[in-house]
Amino acid sequence: MSASGRDAGPVEPTVVRVGDLVFLDAYLVGLVPAKVTGYTAHGNIEITITATRRRHQHGDETTSGPNYCVPRAHVRWRDGRHEVFGRWRFDGLPREFQPSWPD
């Protein structure tokens, strides 16, 4: 292992499961707290909104593409702004619908 401990190999992506808390990254609204409730046949994530944010009301059920559902542990807040980091995948979602990552 290197002296810094950072070169131990590739980091496995976080696995998001039904029931986990995520943020919906909504255009013009920002991050909306939500809970994963399932998946659609077309590869979208079914979510329930857990806090009201502008047009998204607490308890609303909706769907989102996997690239727009961010695990809460993958968001850092700095100076009132958010930063999304890391990689994740959704347990039970077919491979062809998993989030894509740049190399």
Side-chain angles (χ1 to χ4, degrees):
M1 181 164 23
S2 71
S4 69
R6 294 181 186 205
D7 299 326
V11 176
E12 291 295 318
T14 299
V15 177
V16 181
R17 293 177 173 80
V18 171
D20 285 353
L21 300 175
V22 296
F23 284 112
L24 169 62
D25 193 356
Y27 182 71
L28 295 177
V29 176
L31 298 178
V32 179
K35 182 182 203 177
V36 176
T37 57
Y39 308 108
T40 70
H42 300 291
N44 284 325
I45 310 300
E46 294 175 337
I47 57 174
T48 299
I49 304 300
T50 59
T52 298
R53 299 288 187 272
R54 296 187 189 171
R55 69 176 186 258
H56 298 280
Q57 299 296 312
H58 181 273
D60 284 353
E61 295 179 353
T62 188
T63 61
S64 175
N67 285 357
Y68 301 103
C69 286
V70 181
R72 292 194 184 183
H74 285 263
V75 176
R76 289 187 194 119
W77 296 92
R78 291 194 177 136
D79 300 322
R81 300 179 76 93
H82 71 272
E83 172 185 305
V84 175
F85 66 94
R87 295 178 181 217
W88 55 90
R89 67 180 184 81
F90 292 89
D91 185 43
L93 188 66
R95 182 182 174 113
E96 65 266 24
F97 299 121
Q98 292 290 339
S100 58
W101 309 106
D103 290 331

